[in-house]
Amino acid sequence: MNELIMPHNVGVKNALENMKEVLALYKKVIGNYRLLLDGERYLTDKEVAQILKVSRRTLQEYRNDGVLPYILLGGKVLYRESDLERVLENCYHPSYKL
C-alpha cells in the first residue's frame, strides 16, 4: 500500500478524467446562468429572436411599432422576460372547433 500516486496510474487517470467532465459541466452551467435583477430576468435581442423564431430586424420593427416593451441600456436592448410572456399571453388565440 506504499505505492506512489503517479499520473500514469489507471485510478489517477480515471479521477482526472472525471474531474475534467465535472469542470466542463460546471462551465456550461455557469455560462448559461444569469443573475436576476430584482427577481426579473432580462433577455438580449438575440435571445428573444431565437425564442420567437424571428429575425433581429423583426424585433426592431416590433419595438418601433410598440409591440414589445424594451429597455435601452447603454446602447444595448434588453427585454424583461415577464413582459415577453405577457405579450405572448395577450396575443394568444385558441383554435376554433368546427
Side-chain angles (χ1 to χ4, degrees):
M1 203 66 183
N2 292 333
E3 183 180 330
L4 282 175
I5 299 175
M6 300 295 287
H8 63 275
N9 181 301
V10 174
V12 173
K13 282 183 181 180
N14 289 339
L16 288 174
E17 287 300 317
N18 289 337
M19 284 194 250
K20 286 179 184 177
E21 289 175 18
V22 169
L23 180 60
L25 181 61
Y26 173 77
K27 286 180 179 180
K28 183 178 179 182
V29 168
I30 292 300
N32 294 332
Y33 178 74
R34 291 183 172 270
L35 290 174
L36 299 179
L37 182 59
D38 197 26
E40 185 69 53
R41 184 170 178 226
Y42 291 86
L43 304 170
T44 64
D45 59 338
K46 184 176 181 181
E47 292 169 323
V48 173
Q50 288 175 342
I51 291 169
L52 297 179
K53 307 282 192 271
V54 298
S55 69
R56 293 166 81 179
R57 175 68 180 121
T58 300
L59 283 181
Q60 183 178 350
E61 289 177 13
Y62 290 169
R63 289 194 306 269
N64 293 344
D65 295 342
V67 174
L68 284 179
Y70 65 96
I71 297 168
L72 189 59
L73 183 64
K76 185 168 182 120
V77 177
L78 299 173
Y79 302 87
R80 282 191 196 113
E81 190 173 46
S82 61
D83 288 341
L84 182 60
E85 290 172 0
R86 186 171 32 261
V87 167
L88 290 174
E89 285 293 325
N90 291 338
C91 294
Y92 177 74
H93 298 284
S95 62
Y96 294 104
K97 292 185 179 182
L98 299 175

